[in-house]
Amino acid sequence: MPDALLSTRELEAHYGDFQALFGISIDVFPEEVIAIIGANGAGKTTLMRSITGLLRNEPEMVVWKGQSVGGFRADQVAHLGIAMVPEGRQLFQSLSVKENLIIGGQMGRKGPWSLEKVYELFPILKERRNVPATALSGGQQQMVAIGRALMSNPDILLFDEISLGLAPIIIKSIYEALPKIIGQGMSAIIVEQDIAKAVSVSSRVYCLQEGRISLKGRSDELTREAISAAYFGV
Amino acid sequence: MTTTSYSISRSSKASRIAAVAGIAVLALLIAAPWWAGRADMRLLSEMFLYLSLACLWNLLAGYAGLVSVGQQAFVGFGGYMLFALAIFAGISPLVAIPMAGVLGALIAVPVALLIFRLRGAYFAIGTWVIAEVFRLSFAQISALGGGSGTSLPVAIIRDMASSRAMREATTYWLALGMAVLVLAVIYALLRSRRGLALTAIRDSELASQSFGIDIWRNKFFVYVITAGLTAMTGALIFLQKLRISPDAAFSVNDWTAFVIFIVVIGGIGTLEGPIIGVIVFFLLRETLSDLGTTYLLILGVVAIAVMLKAPNGLWGTLKDRTGLELFPLSRRVMKNKQ
Amino acid sequence: MDWINAIIQGILLGGLYALFAAGLSLIFGVMRLVNIAHGDLIVLAAFLGLTITTALGVSPLIALLLVVPVMAAIGYVLQRGILNQTLGEDILPPLLVTFGLSVIIQNGLLEIYSADPQKMSAGALETASIALPGDLNIGVLPLMMFVVAVAVIAGLQWIFYHSSLGRAFRAVSDKQDIAQLMGLNKAHVFGLAMALSLAVVGIAGVFLGIRTSFDPSIGPGRLIFGFEAVIIGGLGNIWGTLIGGIILGVSQNIGAQINPGWQLLAGHIAFLFVLAVRPRGLFPRID
Ligand SMILES: Nc1ncnc2c1ncn2[C@@H]1O[C@H](COP(=O)(O)OP(=O)(O)OP(=O)(O)O)[C@@H](O)[C@H]1O
Ligand SMILES: [Mg+2]
């Protein structure tokens, strides 16, 4: 087995006195897509925030290509090549669609993605490039959020519930675009509440429950029963 | 078999000791005209008046979230009202002081309606503009000496008390009474339902709104009450000085910067903080004020350092470490053995 | 004629007030910080200009070449060294820390330069004027300052909406966390915003020192003028600061024309009037 690209080691996270994550250890290998599932409030977003440096960790709790990076600030983590499509899209409302994309690429990391490539993937964004990003429809905003993350040419991309609040048909088209996105030698962590979706796009799954990993395994080997037991804690 | 029941109490051992000690100190202070020298009494009066300004500012900023840098508007206004009532209507200072308070509260109503349109830090500068407007306006009133100011008529001062010693004792007691009044009003206010609402607003405006607390009205109420008491304090300050001028009356340094310093050092958002702060401030002033501007430089540096390193001030830091509370505001659950 | 003259002079004065306001508006826009020491920093810049002109024997306009970068550097260091630590949900720490800073700057200047009023001279330029029909005279210097002020505002507008720095400012202002995910170091971006703000303060301070006499105590007054111009013009609107400055300058001059004692009062009343009828200013940014 090759060395992991990204790992968390006994990761913990706190909001004040409240502990949201307990001893989370996950691995993502190069060019691998893993899924993280769990009910509302399980700690999925918190895990993403910890990895990306938005929540501070002990240095050794997050390891990137063999280096302890848990103590890095979020902008330093971004420079490593870790990008995120955050929950709820979180576009910059004062920036146009194009500016949102450009700012995603402002670190100047080299790679296959450019403004043109993103426009090719989502042609509608080119059409609407000068519109304030938050004036778009939900699905189009999600495209901007994905494009913005791609613009940094990351080595790994974290998707936090990209289907949240979108119409089924749009979810379908975004998931159809996913292979094109991740197919470029990138790794990905996909956070989903939709278990079927998560299992279908990933090679391995981790299930979170109340801040702990309640189940992990290969996506094609896990049974529905095992997953629902881990998911709902029944 | 013992059953345990719970009761809710605000007082603690420390607060009961503090209450007894407080009464003793108060008695001692009331008797000051018999044991203290003239200069000591002047200094103590000044401390009481600063204490009352500090407590009022603390109520505004620390409890109601209204950070004002323009309270000098009401200090000066109160002072000028005292002089105006005395000069134009021949009203005795003892009557004029509460009248100045009422007028201060009244003028605060339109002021609040205007500057409550500004949010947060812009509100702060807005209060400053109001103070400037007051200063410039009083400088235009030639009957009150215009820009150079005026003195309290000798006849009025003589009317206050028969002898000089008696007059000095009276102003001293008035200052002490003012501080006690302010402390009592704030304490009562914070223990009332409105106090609970204020604390809720301070902790989270959003959440308190969802409990149906009318934020605007609570803040308005506190602002007006504070303005009235600040104007009364201002009247007393200038009764002691016997002279008033626009620059002295509406000085941002004297009536806001020093007051903020006192509250920040002592501990913002606590009742005890301003008391500690006043003592520290006057200790510093009595030892360092010969240094002139250097003294003010030091004050600025200390205030910044406290704000960055110990934002809860001296008392807040002590309280966090020990849970001590002299004015029992928070309720605690007591376990009663039966 | 006096009235028209008063209005024209007021407009030109408004340019200076817009410079006071622009830096204030910029940092509020980027990091919701209201810098109480803003006026004292303007006065600091004026004294810096004075020191440079006397030490090097150059015109204050040449001194700008030094004052502006020095003020920018002070801004960056100030932001990263102190002010960044105060930013957060609570508005009290930045307010009180900059208030303390204001006290420090005022008394530091007093210690170094004393309370005596000072003035910088721009030489022959100061008396030069352009005659207009109808007995009107426009000073070359005030006109030049106004033009510079307009250019500075235009430059700020351009930076904010068309440069990568401005994009970073807006992104951090919108969503600090997410901006960091784009690789932007928030502390650095804030430092740059304060540097830019104080660069403008540098120009404002030198212009102030050429136009009128100044002493260490006048800072708070300049802060208030800048603040009033921001609110009159409308929060978040950079061009608005110019309009706000002009309205303030014209009101003051009209007030002074009626009664010399009413100059400042008239400006404040104009501000309070706008606050009463248009609480969000005349041209608030709609977003
Ligand atoms: N800023 C915060 N402050 C305090 N507690 C928080 C905060 N954010 C999240 N939590 C708590 O941490 C726990 C984990 O939240 P998190 O958002 O990580 O869950 P999640 O799995 O992403 O849920 P969802 O599916 O709803 O997005 C929850 O109990 C939540 O209430
Ligand atoms: Mg989530």
Side-chain angles (χ1 to χ4, degrees), chain C residues 178-229:
Chain C
I178 306 299
Q180 302 225 81
L181 292 181
M182 308 295 123
L184 293 167
N185 179 359
K186 176 171 86 175
H188 177 64
V189 173
F190 287 164
L192 292 177
M194 189 53 94
L196 188 57
S197 167
L198 289 207
V200 177
V201 158
I203 301 174
V206 171
F207 281 10
L208 170 78
I210 299 173
R211 249 195 116 104
T212 57
S213 65
F214 56 95
D215 66 74
S217 71
I218 66 163
R222 308 317 106 174
L223 164 74
I224 289 179
F225 294 160
F227 158 76
E228 289 177 334

Side-chain angles (χ1 to χ4, degrees), chain A residues 39-46 48 87 160-161 164 191 193:
Chain A
N40 280 331
K44 306 178 297 292
T45 298
T46 304
M48 297 301 109
E87 184 177 86
D160 194 352
E161 298 202 38
L164 197 72
V191 171
Q193 288 203 37

